[in-house]
Amino acid sequence: MVAAMSNPYEILGVSSTASDDDIRKAYRKLAKKYHPDLNPGKEEAEQRFKDISAAYSLLSDAEKRARFDRGEIDSSGQERPQRQYYRDFAEGPGGARYSHAEGFASDDLENIFSDLFGGRGFARGHGAGGGSMPMKGGNLSLALTVDFVDAAKGGKQRVTMPDGKTLDIDLPAGLEDHATIRLKGKGLPGVNGGPPGDALITITVAPHPWFRREGDDVHLDLPVTLAEAVLGGKVRVPTIDGAVMLTVPKGANNGTRLRLKGKGIPDPQKNARGDQYVTVRIALPDETDPALEEFVRGWSADYNPRRAMESA
Amino acid sequence: MAQRTEEVLMVCRRVNARDLTLWVERHWVRPQHEGGALLFSEADVARVEMICDLREDLALDDEAMPVVLSLLDSVYALRRRLRVLAGAIGQLPPEARDVLREELRKLEEE
């Protein structure tokens, strides 16, 4: 059958003399009600919304509306091109990324589903039967900030659980920022003899004033005096294991990089350790020392560090 | 089949580059990041269209939009979980399903 489509005025529920404003209002009201994405379960909503959209696109266009009123065109053919609605993806893999909205923890869902089989849901006042299904407890998400050295070396940390209890956990060495540690069975209690859920602890590694991590290596800027740089010498350098003595070679320049082998971050899986890289930074006193000033005035050498730049 | 930002803008004529960037920054749309470019899945594109509808047809403003999106996402997440649950119930022995049906019926009558 051709164009047995109903009249666009009827679809929007307005009279044929309705103003543009009335038509827009009627359309918005119906769109709110029938938008397919707002009606995930209603199959018929999509067709209704298409009809409403088609009717509105015809009546909101003054020229088309006039032609329709004159009987020059029928109400068909105004339909929007075929499009896919979000609801067609929302419950499939494409929508999975959106299933954790902000302020809506998946743990809440876990709780609802535990309740479904728990004392509060089915079994309330109904005796045995539906409420006896064992369910795993929900997972608990916790956050823990660990300082740089503790994260690098691993070891015991105490976490306070939401119920006020404390839990000692063993951090593995070489823990990275944003890592998650799963503690099996430390989440919410199970229901009807089901196993408890897990605690998921997201780690934040606090930045350190001197150490920086790159892969399994630790980087550190080491301020040295002019004398230490020119003459060389032994200086104390902090590492994640404590201070060690490092020999600054004679004539070390600003930016010279020295390596302390095996003083980096342990990697328990590879059973290896990274290195610590020490970058020399020549530091002058905040206030220029008169003796140094005097010496530098008398110091002359045929050295121009900007030679390459100047000839360019 | 993933689309890049320019392709999405070609398909969804109701959104401009500035708004689309803003929506991504606000996590209203969550395309994949790949080598500095954004890759929009079919679901992401459908979501862009949905946000256009919500903005234009339903006159939602920037304040109301995240509230509505988060509620919608909650509904879809719940439906997804319900589907899983229904699937699990489908695997139960018939006697267990009968018990469940009976319990549900009693609850509905309450």
Side-chain angles (χ1 to χ4, degrees):
Chain A
M1 256 209 335
V2 193
M5 235 179 169
S6 29
N7 180 317
Y9 292 106
E10 279 170 26
I11 292 174
L12 294 184
V14 293
S15 76
S16 57
T17 56
S19 68
D20 289 350
D21 206 36
D22 289 339
I23 289 172
R24 191 171 57 246
K25 274 187 198 148
Y27 167 66
R28 281 193 172 169
K29 200 170 158 193
L30 289 168
K32 267 179 211 155
K33 197 165 163 193
Y34 289 107
H35 193 288
D37 289 328
L38 304 177
N39 289 282
K42 272 196 213 145
E43 279 312 311
E44 67 277 16
E46 182 167 342
Q47 190 53 49
R48 265 313 275 277
F49 184 68
K50 270 186 192 163
D51 295 345
I52 295 162
S53 302
Y56 179 64
S57 98
L58 195 152
L59 296 185
S60 60
D61 181 324
E63 194 189 328
K64 281 185 194 160
R65 184 179 174 186
R67 291 182 66 197
F68 176 82
D69 289 346
R70 291 195 297 269
E72 291 172 18
I73 53 171
D74 66 14
S75 61
S76 63
Q78 310 298 335
E79 212 169 281
R80 286 186 190 179
Q82 199 65 31
R83 65 170 271 203
Q84 278 183 294
Y85 289 100
Y86 178 67
R87 67 171 187 179
D88 300 334
F89 301 100
E91 290 159 50
R97 242 172 309 140
Y98 298 101
S99 64
H100 303 286
E102 270 117 73
F104 180 73
S106 58
D107 291 351
D108 290 348
L109 279 183
E110 306 279 353
N111 290 346
I112 291 170
F113 281 93
S114 319
D115 287 351
L116 261 185
F117 294 100
R120 276 190 281 163
F122 279 41
R124 182 189 49 199
H126 292 287
S132 57
M133 194 190 203
M135 274 288 282
K136 191 181 175 204
N139 292 337
L140 257 183
S141 295
L142 302 167
L144 177 66
T145 302
V146 183
D147 72 47
F148 187 93
V149 174
D150 289 343
K153 296 170 74 175
K156 286 228 186 305
Q157 285 276 327
R158 180 157 290 185
V159 198
T160 308
M161 309 293 275
D163 61 6
K165 285 187 197 145
T166 57
L167 188 65
D168 286 324
I169 56 173
D170 249 328
L171 296 182
L175 202 54
E176 281 179 73
D177 200 17
H178 303 308
T180 303
I181 295 179
R182 178 184 286 265
L183 298 176
K184 278 222 173 298
K186 297 294 183 190
L188 299 172
V191 174
N192 292 324
D198 304 334
L200 301 171
I201 303 176
T202 306
I203 302 293
T204 304
V205 178
H208 193 275
W210 310 308
F211 297 131
R212 278 189 328 276
R213 178 171 181 171
E214 277 174 36
D216 284 336
D217 298 325
V218 172
H219 290 252
L220 169 121
D221 285 345
L222 181 71
V224 299
T225 65
L226 192 57
E228 284 163 343
V230 174
L231 305 173
K234 278 191 180 291
V235 292
R236 267 171 82 88
V237 181
T239 73
I240 58 173
D241 298 320
V244 298
M245 296 307 287
L246 170 74
T247 304
V248 175
K250 193 172 168 171
N253 210 336
N254 213 19
T256 297
R257 205 164 75 157
L258 308 167
R259 187 168 72 147
L260 288 165
K261 204 167 167 6
K263 290 291 180 192
I265 313 265
D267 182 340
Q269 253 145 33
K270 285 191 242 164
N271 200 17
R273 267 187 84 161
D275 303 324
Q276 176 167 321
Y277 288 95
V278 176
T279 305
V280 170
R281 298 283 171 219
I282 296 170
L284 296 176
D286 290 341
E287 280 177 37
T288 306
D289 182 81
L292 178 63
E293 199 178 321
E294 195 56 34
F295 163 74
V296 174
R297 263 186 224 288
W299 181 66
S300 72
D302 182 23
Y303 172 60
N304 179 1
R306 293 179 299 279
R307 184 165 294 145
M309 266 181 216
E310 281 162 8
S311 65
Chain B
M1 174 189 32
Q3 302 185 60
R4 291 171 173 279
T5 307
E6 314 82 66
E7 294 169 296
V8 175
L9 292 171
M10 291 288 286
V11 178
C12 310
R13 308 307 296 239
R14 295 177 294 168
V15 64
N16 61 32
R18 210 193 61 194
D19 285 345
L20 189 58
T21 311
L22 203 63
W23 295 355
V24 172
E25 278 170 12
R26 290 176 178 165
H27 297 277
W28 294 357
V29 184
R30 300 171 201 170
Q32 280 185 303
H33 293 255
E34 221 178 76
L38 295 176
L39 285 180
F40 293 78
S41 69
E42 285 183 299
D44 296 329
V45 175
R47 200 170 159 96
V48 169
E49 294 274 15
M50 174 179 78
I51 296 172
C52 290
D53 287 344
L54 293 174
R55 181 175 69 170
E56 274 143 48
D57 300 343
L58 279 69
L60 283 192
D61 60 17
D62 280 7
E63 301 285 317
M65 189 68 77
V67 181
V68 171
L69 289 178
S70 136
L71 288 173
L72 275 175
D73 289 337
S74 306
V75 170
Y76 284 121
L78 273 170
R79 287 175 57 85
R80 176 196 295 269
R81 298 302 303 266
L82 271 175
R83 242 177 245 292
V84 173
L85 182 65
I89 291 170
Q91 300 295 311
L92 292 178
E95 313 83 67
R97 273 182 280 161
D98 289 343
V99 174
L100 188 61
R101 197 179 297 115
E102 180 58 17
E103 286 296 327
L104 285 171
R105 193 187 56 75
K106 278 196 243 162
L107 281 174
E108 304 249 306
E109 279 171 8
E110 254 184 9

